[in-house]
Amino acid sequence: MVLTAMFPPAHCSIKTANFAIITDISERMRQDAQIGKLHKVVEQSPVGVIITDARGTIEYVNPHLCDLTGYSSAEFIGQNPRLLHRQ
């Protein structure tokens, strides 16, 4: 909810004017909660997870993949999944 108070110029007979803009954010909160659940699932997954962009560049790896490979997430980010074939 956003409330805004505006005051007219001094020469105006109206001393104050109040305006309210109310936005229902319940759908956004529901979506954020869903995203949080999905994030936990990926983070706690018993399998390795890699997320890449359309060009195949790694943007995310979950902790289990790091445990399996010995690479840190920083070593994965920005690389291509072919990195795993080098082992």
Side-chain angles (χ1 to χ4, degrees):
M1 178 187 332
V2 177
L3 297 176
T4 305
M6 301 179 69
F7 301 97
H11 66 276
C12 194
S13 63
I14 300 173
K15 298 298 179 197
T16 61
N18 294 314
F19 299 92
I21 300 171
I22 301 171
T23 305
D24 182 1
I25 61 168
S26 54
E27 177 63 20
R28 173 62 189 255
M29 291 176 65
R30 187 193 67 73
Q31 290 172 351
D32 287 349
Q34 185 71 13
I35 289 169
K37 288 178 189 176
L38 293 172
H39 181 262
K40 284 181 185 177
V41 167
V42 171
E43 284 285 307
Q44 298 173 3
S45 177
V47 297
V49 176
I50 297 176
I51 297 175
T52 66
D53 64 13
R55 295 177 186 220
T57 303
I58 297 173
E59 295 183 336
Y60 171 84
V61 294
N62 72 339
H64 191 70
L65 185 68
C66 295
D67 293 343
L68 289 172
T69 64
Y71 287 108
S72 69
S73 63
E75 291 173 298
F76 273 113
I77 304 303
Q79 300 296 318
N80 187 285
R82 287 188 294 257
L83 167 75
L84 295 172
H85 293 305
R86 296 181 203 155
Q87 290 187 349

